[in-house]
Amino acid sequence: SSLDISSEVEGKHSTDLFTKEAVKIIESHDDDKPMFLYLSYTAPHSPLQPVDDIVEKRNQHIVDDAKRQYAAMVTQIDDGVGEIADALSRKKMWDNTVFLFMSDHGAAVFPNNCWDTVGGSNLPF
């Protein structure tokens, strides 16, 4: 059916899939035309399901498990943004690019703070 998950994407993180697709769009872009690319990652939000390799090899110094998992998801986004910037550079588009990176800071993963009752913080407002 049309709702079946492709074996190409099954078990992969959306962050990595979004990055791969953005890089593919950049690489296949016609240089004679302007391009607008809007990418909205869904991480780092719950459930915290980072790539195990990132947690174990790059964020092992973080003692708290929830913070380590959250940091791994942010690391995964950072890697993706780097891949996109590299693709723009390879395509000779970087010097003519406005690159904006924004985050809503995600929801809190740390209990017993001012965020745990509202799922985020809009402080100081």
Side-chain angles (χ1 to χ4, degrees), residues 9-84:
V9 300
E10 188 172 8
K12 297 200 169 117
H13 284 250
S14 62
T15 301
D16 296 333
L17 295 171
F18 294 167
T19 297
K20 183 178 178 181
E21 190 62 27
V23 169
K24 192 183 328 177
I25 290 168
I26 292 165
E27 289 173 343
S28 64
H29 178 68
D30 179 353
D31 297 341
D32 294 328
K33 296 182 180 178
M35 181 181 79
F36 177 81
L37 176 64
Y38 178 85
L39 171 59
S40 182
Y41 288 116
T42 57
H45 282 280
S46 61
L48 298 178
Q49 297 174 326
V51 174
D52 291 336
D53 191 51
I54 294 175
V55 176
E56 295 166 10
K57 293 183 180 173
R58 296 172 63 194
N59 293 100
Q60 74 280 4
H61 61 283
I62 300 171
V63 177
D64 182 79
D65 187 55
K67 290 179 182 179
R68 184 174 50 254
Q69 290 182 27
Y70 187 87
M73 293 176 77
V74 172
T75 299
Q76 194 172 358
I77 291 171
D78 188 52
D79 291 348
V81 170
E83 288 180 42
I84 292 166

